[in-house]
Amino acid sequence: MIRKSLVLPALLGVLVPVVTSCGVVGDSGGDDDAIVVGTTDRLELTKENPAPLDPATAYDINSWNILQNTFQTLMRMPRTGSEPEPDAAERCVFADRLSEQYRCTLRDGLTFTNGHDLTAADVKFSIERMLKIKNPNGPFPLLANVDTVETPDALTVVFHLKTPDATFPLKLATPAAAIVDSQVYEKDKLYEGFEIAGSGPYSLKVEHDDDVATKAVYTGNGDYKGEVEPQNDAVEVRYFGTSTSMEDAIAAGDIDVMGRSLKPEQINRLDEGTDGDVSLFETPGAEIAYLVFDVENPTVKDRAVRQAAAEVIDRTKLARDVYQRTVDPLYAMIPRGIIGHNTAFHDAYGDRPDTGGARELLREAGVEMPVKLTLNYTTDHYGETTKAEFEELRDQLNRSGLFDADIKGDTWETYKKNYAENRYAVYGLHWYPDFPDPDTFTGPFVGEENFTFNNYDSSVIGDLIPRTRQEAQRERTTDSFERIQDVLASDVPYLPLWQGKQYIAARDTVTGAEWALNSSSTLQLWELRHGLSE
């Protein structure tokens, strides 16, 4: 079957799902059996991260998949649209015109799955705990603008911000603001292991072999009070070593749904509809892949080296030959479908390799050629195609004759530690948006405490971002974010490579898969239900 082409909406919060093989329809019947979901994501306890499910340290797509389904936040992103809606809160509003004071009223009668009451004191505790622990790999920067939190009564929370921030409601909808039980979690210590204490749509039990999870069992939380309306009573998530073994499992009927990560050839095979019992769903995505340059590393400190790399990288070839057109070339850090997207890198360096232009940049800067580089990548976090991607990037650089590049892969836990300690000059990362707004593709990437640890700062960007946060009408920030993209294209602390699409496959006995991935690529298990095929 031919894949249908999609038009990205103005804001990526509005997702338009497309079924690319035989369709399914819902059914009011079904049964109480757990829906079984497969993933190649890895969940484990390590020396570096003994608390992968603690909101204070969880800041990757796999952990957020779990937290979104098991914890509540004051706000939550809706099925469609880019405006957050109340979840644990009954109502939230800015109490001033400057967007510096945000007031929330909680729903009455909230409880954690252990039976403890959830009150405003737990919300205050959760935010202050995140900022106190300040885990270097955690999402605390999303809340760093919080100055103080007040709780006038058991159902009211008032946030006082250091500076105006119209995006604050969006940040409260992320797992960074997950509400934890103050009677269980310690204020200055991580909650180690696979246990959690949340109040979301599901409770969780993780089965594991030593320190590696083999299955996560989600059971409907009958005491949940919020906007989500779960379509099932239970979901099992099974962890697979490879996408091939996961595909074999869905073909055999051992699992009902498979998500991250599908290889390009699997996507295309499913797209052809050769398995009539499995449907492939495609939605617009805002995942971006990019190279990071540590701008203080002697190898790439000279901007000319980074600009020369931008001149010779062929994104079109990468998307076409390695990813088989399941991703699109990207020429800015803000992806298509998000306010402020432009084609800054295309405008500055073109869409075809320019070896002559790159050589001239290096010659004028007095850089000795070929420039010796190691491109670092993670072997077990972004899918099995990552190695082939970095082999292609290495070959593109080397074919220019201007670089002597090699590649090196490390496991995700080692990788995170190494780039945080500035052990890499060049390394690859993916970014899944925290929320559907250009702020999430810019703010976290600039400044002394930026999450990539690449030492990049810019006075121009540092001045523009606070201004954009004062603007509640986000479309009015377009010019500022386009200017930010132009600065990034000139400085090249990052080199955008491609923008991903979202894919999920489901057997035709399951409905709701087309809504199961939200605008941040996290999995909404509550959308899945047993149903009937057409």
Side-chain angles (χ1 to χ4, degrees):
M1 177 162 300
I2 299 174
R3 180 179 297 122
K4 299 177 183 179
S5 54
L6 299 172
V7 177
L8 284 170
L11 276 175
L12 198 70
V14 185
L15 295 180
V16 182
V18 173
V19 185
T20 60
S21 63
C22 57
V24 296
V25 295
D27 176 70
S28 59
D31 55 54
D32 295 330
D33 293 340
I35 293 172
V36 184
V37 178
T39 180
T40 60
D41 284 330
R42 187 177 176 88
L43 177 63
E44 63 180 325
L45 307 179
T46 66
K47 181 179 179 181
E48 293 77 15
N49 188 11
L53 300 183
D54 189 322
T57 188
Y59 203 16
D60 62 80
I61 191 66
N62 183 27
S63 297
W64 274 28
N65 276 338
I66 296 171
L67 269 56
Q68 288 274 27
N69 288 278
T70 54
F71 283 92
Q72 275 189 289
T73 46
L74 290 171
M75 306 293 286
R76 180 182 289 277
M77 296 306 297
R79 174 188 269 191
T80 61
S82 56
E83 294 296 324
E85 61 187 14
D87 189 38
E90 186 174 82
R91 181 173 180 266
C92 288
V93 294
F94 277 109
D96 66 336
R97 294 183 179 181
L98 297 177
S99 301
E100 287 184 314
Q101 186 183 117
Y102 197 66
R103 177 179 290 261
C104 292
T105 302
L106 273 65
R107 297 175 190 268
D108 195 11
L110 293 172
T111 61
F112 293 100
T113 53
N114 58 16
H116 294 167
D117 289 340
L118 189 163
T119 69
D122 294 294
V123 178
K124 175 180 169 70
F125 172 85
S126 300
I127 302 298
E128 292 179 344
R129 176 179 183 269
M130 172 70 72
L131 296 175
K132 182 176 180 60
I133 291 177
K134 200 177 180 179
N135 185 277
N137 289 118
F140 75 89
L142 288 170
L143 303 176
N145 193 34
V146 174
D147 187 15
T148 59
V149 185
E150 291 182 342
T151 53
D153 55 61
L155 296 179
T156 305
V157 184
V158 182
F159 299 93
H160 297 275
L161 306 182
K162 299 173 184 175
T163 58
D165 187 2
T167 71
F168 188 64
L170 291 161
K171 293 169 182 174
L172 285 183
T174 73
I179 305 169
V180 303
D181 186 347
S182 59
Q183 298 182 60
V184 174
Y185 290 75
E186 297 183 46
K187 65 180 180 180
D188 55 0
K189 183 179 179 182
L190 293 175
Y191 193 57
E192 298 183 1
F194 293 122
E195 301 293 326
I196 65 170
S199 60
Y202 297 95
S203 61
L204 177 72
K205 179 180 180 181
V206 176
E207 298 180 13
H208 51 94
D209 184 1
D210 293 328
D211 290 334
V212 179
T214 57
K215 181 192 298 184
V217 180
Y218 296 80
T219 304
N221 175 14
D223 294 323
Y224 165 75
K225 292 183 178 181
E227 286 300 309
V228 168
E229 297 181 3
Q231 300 299 302
N232 59 68
D233 295 322
V235 178
E236 287 184 6
V237 173
R238 297 180 186 175
Y239 297 93
F240 289 85
T242 66
S243 56
T244 299
S245 59
M246 181 171 63
E247 186 181 10
D248 289 342
I250 199 169
D254 295 332
I255 63 175
D256 302 303
V257 179
M258 63 177 180
R260 283 180 30 95
S261 292
L262 298 175
K263 294 186 292 186
E265 55 267 32
Q266 290 176 302
I267 292 170
N268 289 325
R269 184 164 56 247
L270 288 164
D271 185 47
E272 294 171 357
T274 54
D275 187 341
D277 295 329
V278 179
S279 297
L280 179 70
F281 299 87
E282 174 188 318
T283 56
E287 173 192 5
I288 65 171
Y290 55 97
L291 292 179
V292 183
F293 296 95
D294 181 348
V295 298
E296 291 299 320
N297 188 288
T299 306
V300 296
K301 186 173 184 177
D302 195 314
R303 184 175 65 167
V305 175
R306 308 193 299 269
Q307 291 178 328
E311 289 278 14
V312 300
I313 293 297
D314 189 341
R315 297 167 180 79
T316 300
K317 184 173 174 58
L318 197 66
R320 181 192 64 212
D321 297 348
V322 177
Y323 282 95
Q324 300 178 31
R325 295 185 170 86
T326 59
V327 303
D328 294 317
L330 183 63
Y331 295 92
M333 290 298 286
I334 297 176
R336 286 174 299 279
I338 298 290
I339 289 172
H341 167 74
N342 65 7
T343 55
F345 277 80
H346 180 281
D347 299 342
Y349 307 105
D351 62 350
R352 299 293 180 88
D354 183 358
T355 300
R359 181 179 288 108
E360 184 64 15
L361 284 167
L362 295 173
R363 187 189 66 77
E364 289 183 356
V367 176
E368 184 177 349
M369 296 172 269
V371 179
K372 190 172 180 62
L373 289 178
T374 298
L375 307 180
N376 296 273
Y377 68 97
T378 174
T379 58
D380 61 348
H381 192 63
Y382 296 130
E384 297 166 71
T385 310
T386 305
K387 182 179 180 182
E389 174 185 7
F390 272 74
E391 289 172 342
E392 174 62 27
L393 290 170
R394 174 199 63 197
D395 293 347
Q396 288 183 11
L397 291 171
N398 290 343
R399 278 195 295 267
S400 72
L402 307 176
F403 294 91
D404 178 11
D406 199 359
I407 62 173
K408 183 178 183 298
D410 288 307
T411 63
W412 178 239
E413 291 302 324
T414 299
Y415 194 72
K416 288 192 298 183
K417 183 174 184 290
N418 284 350
Y419 76 68
E421 296 176 353
N422 301 116
R423 296 185 183 184
Y424 301 145
V426 189
Y427 46 103
L429 290 177
H430 292 199
W431 181 249
Y432 298 88
D434 297 327
F435 44 85
D437 187 273
D439 186 88
T440 192
F441 293 96
T442 51
F445 292 82
V446 181
E448 292 182 2
E449 292 187 339
N450 87 68
F451 89 100
T452 70
F453 302 95
N454 74 332
N455 297 298
Y456 176 68
D457 202 358
S458 163
S459 59
V460 175
I461 297 176
D463 181 55
L464 285 171
I465 288 177
R467 294 186 190 180
T468 66
R469 290 175 178 166
Q470 296 178 38
E471 183 54 69
Q473 311 235 351
R474 303 304 287 162
E475 63 275 6
R476 294 182 180 177
T477 65
T478 298
D479 290 346
S480 293
F481 281 112
E482 288 182 347
R483 171 63 177 143
I484 290 171
Q485 298 308 285
D486 292 340
V487 172
L488 292 174
S490 176
D491 291 347
V492 201
Y494 307 102
L495 183 55
L497 299 173
W498 52 260
Q499 177 176 350
K501 304 169 188 177
Q502 298 190 136
Y503 295 98
I504 190 169
R507 295 190 65 82
D508 292 345
T509 53
V510 171
T511 64
E514 65 269 34
W515 301 109
L517 291 171
N518 69 9
S519 57
S520 297
S521 299
T522 52
L523 193 58
Q524 301 175 146
L525 297 176
W526 58 82
E527 295 283 1
L528 302 172
R529 66 176 297 177
H530 288 295
L532 297 175
S533 60
E534 289 181 331

